[in-house]
Amino acid sequence: MTQAEIRGEAPGADYTFAYLDEQTKRMIRRALLKALAVPGYQVPFASREMPMPYGWGTGGVQVSAAVLTPEDTLKVIDQGADDTTNAVSIRKFFQKTAGIAVTEHTGEATVIQTRHRIPEAPLTEGQILVYQVPIPEPLRFLEPRETETRRMHALEEYGLMHVKLYEDIARHGEIATAYAYPVKIEGRYVMDPSPIPKFDNPKLRMAAIQLFGAGREQRIYALPPYTEVVSLDFEDHPFVPGKAEGACALCGSETSYLDEVIVDDRGGRMFVCSDTDYCAGRRAAGYRGEMAAEEGGA
Amino acid sequence: MRAGAFRAEAPVAPILSVRGLTKRYGGRVGCEDVGFDLYPGEVMGIVGESGSGKSTLLNCLAGHLRPDAGEVLFDLGKDGMRDTLALSEPERRRLARTDWAFVHQNPRDGLRMTVSAGGNVGERLMAVGARNYGAIRASALDWLGRVEIAADRIDDRPAAFSGGMQQRLQIARNLVTGPRLVFMDEPTGGLDVSVQARLLDLLRGLVRDMGLSAVIVTHDLAVVRLLAHRLMVMKGGRVVETGLTDQVLDDPQHGYTQLLVSSVLQV
Ligand SMILES: Nc1ncnc2c1ncn2[C@@H]1O[C@H](COP(=O)(O)OP(=O)(O)OP(=O)(O)O)[C@@H](O)[C@H]1O
Ligand SMILES: [Mg+2]
Ligand SMILES: [Zn+2]
């Protein structure tokens, strides 16, 4: 065994395993354990400089770096897709610094780092879903003072969260919040689930561990498996996750979250699954959407 | 009608009982050894020149400032008289958004400027658990009406309101949960004279109709003349004279009060 291997570093690499030094990873793991022990509570951590800009999910990357082991298989998605610039570069980053296996298949991954989506396929026990979080504080919108929002969390003073929903209804006739829809965790902490569509909110109660990392804001929070997650609402304006407005043009799915894509320069458009792996899996299993024939014939 | 013609009947227990309240800022006196009882439905006026300790006293009473000594006993109903200074922070904050209300001189300190008028009024209801949008909105409309703000302004932000409207909105926002005790710091300060008169009239009606107890700080003797049943005159942090409003204003005993009253008469 080489010294590098004994230290847990990828053989031959110039980096510590998964880029961060062991001390930093220990610090992040302590924050993660605390976050798991108090679901929905934002734990401060000393965010490190990462070799990428903040908007690229440095919080999620640090959390992934702290939980990855050499045996892990990593999947990275951005808006549900494995092949966007952001997802590709984060995946490459960990291939290079950790030498780990990567996959695009949700079912094969042990760690999934995500931005803006929860995979369609139900996650299972033993998997870890890591979210990139831009703004961890759900109360920030109406109360910019950090000292005050902390006190509100401590004292469970969450009336303000409903003021935000009230304003929505007053202005738009319904709760117009479509992303980062606030949730209450185990009847205690109000949490921002990161900018996932509210469509994904019902999936937040799941078998996998969910870890949330905000790099610029230096906060980590978490949901252990099967944590109770309730989307905030009013009795007479109940939470509606919304449903697909059509079927995926490629795989025909009527239950998955769809993205609208422009297909030509004449304004032609179609709706396809935002979860590229889910869509490919369905097509591989023989499901076809209305545009799939063209695709097959090409 | 003068406010002073009150409290002739049988004695009742006070709603607020203050003893030996003292607050210093380093070496400087904020307020010193202040004590009084406030009875249900009674309005206590606190007057005195600038720097005499009025705001310090009010903020100590309302739990915004921690006094160095003294007691602030409040009638918690089934729990009897409790020293609010000994309550835990959650208990005190709960009190502040249920049984108590605080009207700031500057409406910007008491309103959420980025939230609609309806949201401002509804906030306290939601803070105590209201979860029916229709009911919250109906309460907000009712309260806007009571403070004479047109129903069609319910979705406007306070930034679009005049100073007088903002102050009336602040009052509605505070009273919507039916508090029993209201603290007010110069509620008419900074407003035009005609706007002040209308606001005072409104406040007097609300205090009477809701049977509110109130402590109102002002340097404007016309305000206390209209609103306060009793008066405390402060100087250098201490209470130098106290009594029924008309009595104190018409027949001041302390030299300082005499000066205060005569200087107002000259204005
Ligand atoms: N935060 C503070 N730090 C130090 N001294 C203070 C502070 N606040 C008030 N004081 C002092 O305490 C005394 C009482 O001030 P306070 O603000 O209570 O007076 P006031 O009667 O409300 O005056 P005004 O009519 O001008 O509002 C003054 O001498 C004031 O300078
Ligand atoms: Mg003052
Ligand atoms: Zn599809």
Side-chain angles (χ1 to χ4, degrees):
Chain A
M1 239 186 183
T2 66
Q3 283 297 314
E5 281 168 329
I6 290 166
R7 288 198 305 271
E9 292 166 9
D14 298 335
Y15 303 102
T16 316
F17 177 76
Y19 187 79
L20 291 178
D21 62 85
E22 292 305 309
Q23 205 182 331
T24 300
K25 280 190 271 190
R26 263 199 301 278
M27 176 271 291
I28 294 174
R29 286 174 196 145
R30 270 198 298 270
L32 286 170
L33 287 174
K34 186 168 177 183
L36 283 163
V38 192
Y41 172 73
Q42 298 168 47
V43 181
F45 81 110
S47 184
R48 293 287 191 263
E49 289 284 331
M50 298 301 282
M52 58 192 76
Y54 278 123
W56 285 58
T58 57
V61 169
Q62 289 177 80
V63 168
S64 293
V67 298
L68 282 172
T69 67
E71 294 75 40
D72 274 311
T73 302
L74 177 71
K75 170 181 165 80
V76 183
I77 47 174
D78 179 9
Q79 313 260 14
D82 297 83
D83 55 2
T84 62
T85 319
N86 187 317
V88 169
S89 64
I90 291 173
R91 196 163 58 230
K92 278 198 183 134
F93 173 79
F94 281 118
Q95 278 179 291
K96 186 168 171 194
T97 60
I100 51 164
V102 296
T103 182
E104 295 195 357
H105 299 308
T106 301
E108 286 173 6
T110 53
V111 176
I112 302 172
Q113 183 172 329
T114 182
R115 174 173 174 268
H116 295 190
R117 274 311 309 278
I118 295 176
E120 301 292 350
L123 300 189
T124 56
E125 289 180 18
Q127 288 185 301
I128 298 176
L129 184 58
V130 178
Y131 295 79
Q132 301 171 202
V133 180
I135 298 168
E137 179 49 71
L139 298 162
R140 177 79 46 85
F141 172 80
L142 291 169
E143 179 52 75
R145 290 170 297 178
E146 168 92 24
T147 47
E148 193 57 21
T149 53
R150 269 201 225 181
R151 187 173 293 137
M152 288 166 151
H153 283 294
L155 301 178
E156 276 185 86
E157 291 181 1
Y158 290 130
L160 208 50
M161 223 47 256
H162 274 86
V163 172
K164 181 178 187 290
L165 301 180
Y166 169 95
E167 292 290 288
D168 252 14
I169 303 172
R171 210 165 305 152
H172 308 284
E174 59 179 7
I175 300 178
T177 302
Y179 295 88
Y181 192 106
V183 291
K184 194 160 198 181
I185 306 305
E186 295 282 338
R188 179 58 181 85
Y189 286 98
V190 166
M191 188 191 95
D192 184 327
S194 88
I196 57 171
K198 66 176 180 172
F199 176 93
D200 282 344
N201 272 28
K203 293 186 218 141
L204 284 163
R205 190 195 157 100
M206 64 163 72
I209 291 174
Q210 298 172 82
L211 308 175
F212 299 79
R216 186 177 39 220
E217 304 262 344
Q218 317 213 55
R219 290 290 183 280
I220 280 171
Y221 49 100
L223 298 175
Y226 307 112
T227 298
E228 183 198 56
V229 180
V230 175
S231 301
L232 301 182
D233 61 5
F234 288 102
E235 292 158 6
D236 47 346
H237 285 267
F239 171 73
V240 189
K243 56 180 174 57
E245 290 140 24
C248 172
L250 300 179
C251 78
S253 171
E254 290 175 0
T255 57
S256 83
Y257 190 76
L258 304 176
D259 281 340
E260 190 175 13
V261 290
I262 312 281
V263 286
D264 54 41
D265 51 15
R266 296 184 308 277
R269 56 192 64 205
M270 63 176 188
F271 286 95
V272 297
C273 294
S274 103
D275 185 335
T276 50
D277 172 56
Y278 175 78
C279 195
R282 279 179 55 88
R283 277 176 283 149
Y287 292 100
R288 289 288 178 267
E290 59 182 30
M291 306 270 283
E294 288 175 34
E295 184 199 42
Chain B
M1 186 200 82
R2 292 278 162 91
F6 177 78
R7 223 167 64 76
E9 307 97 51
V12 272
I15 185 172
L16 187 73
S17 200
V18 182
R19 296 286 173 266
L21 206 64
T22 299
K23 171 74 186 173
R24 292 197 186 79
Y25 301 101
R28 187 182 302 148
V29 172
C31 65
E32 193 156 26
D33 196 24
V34 177
F36 68 94
D37 288 330
L38 182 76
Y39 290 87
E42 191 180 30
V43 178
M44 168 73 83
I46 301 175
V47 297
E49 63 190 350
S50 182
S52 59
K54 306 182 297 291
S55 295
T56 300
L57 172 60
L58 195 72
N59 284 308
C60 285
L61 297 177
H64 299 166
L65 273 180
R66 183 116 203 125
D68 300 310
E71 288 180 333
V72 178
L73 303 167
F74 177 71
D75 179 13
L76 278 173
K78 61 175 170 23
D79 292 336
M81 294 298 269
R82 287 276 305 277
D83 187 357
T84 60
L85 303 172
L87 295 178
S88 66
E89 197 190 3
E91 286 176 314
R92 197 161 48 239
R93 281 176 69 114
R94 178 153 193 88
L95 205 58
R97 55 173 197 264
T98 54
D99 279 353
W100 289 2
F102 197 102
V103 177
H104 296 262
Q105 170 172 354
N106 186 345
R108 288 176 173 275
D109 295 334
L111 291 173
R112 290 195 188 277
M113 299 306 283
T114 58
V115 169
S116 70
N120 264 287
V121 178
E123 180 175 350
R124 269 169 80 112
L125 294 170
M126 293 181 249
V128 296
R131 292 293 177 264
N132 187 292
Y133 175 83
I136 293 163
R137 196 154 171 93
S139 286
L141 271 173
D142 174 40
W143 269 98
L144 290 179
R146 290 210 224 179
V147 298
E148 299 166 11
I149 294 174
D152 64 2
R153 305 302 300 270
I154 188 170
D155 294 330
D156 292 348
R157 293 182 179 185
F161 289 3
S162 69
M165 279 173 82
Q166 289 182 358
Q167 199 56 305
R168 280 180 275 133
L169 180 62
Q170 191 193 178
I171 289 162
R173 165 180 162 85
N174 268 281
L175 298 188
V176 65
T177 47
R180 293 189 290 141
L181 175 59
V182 185
F183 301 103
M184 294 186 248
D185 195 350
E186 304 274 10
T188 60
L191 297 175
D192 293 345
V193 177
S194 64
V195 177
Q196 277 190 20
R198 185 168 166 211
L199 187 71
L200 278 175
D201 211 42
L202 184 87
L203 271 175
R204 194 166 60 156
L206 288 171
V207 164
R208 190 185 48 218
D209 297 346
M210 297 177 75
L212 293 173
S213 311
V215 180
I216 177 165
V217 157
T218 179
H219 61 263
D220 185 347
L221 297 190
V223 170
V224 285
R225 178 80 86 174
L226 216 63
L227 281 181
H229 304 111
R230 274 197 301 149
L231 216 53
M232 291 200 310
V233 182
M234 292 187 74
K235 181 180 190 310
R238 290 185 160 269
V239 175
V240 294
E241 182 160 359
T242 176
L244 296 176
T245 303
D246 288 352
Q247 216 169 326
V248 173
L249 293 183
D250 297 339
D251 184 19
Q253 299 300 305
H254 193 277
Y256 175 73
T257 315
Q258 290 167 359
L259 268 176
L260 204 69
V261 170
S262 63
S263 70
V264 160
L265 293 178
Q266 280 162 22
V267 172

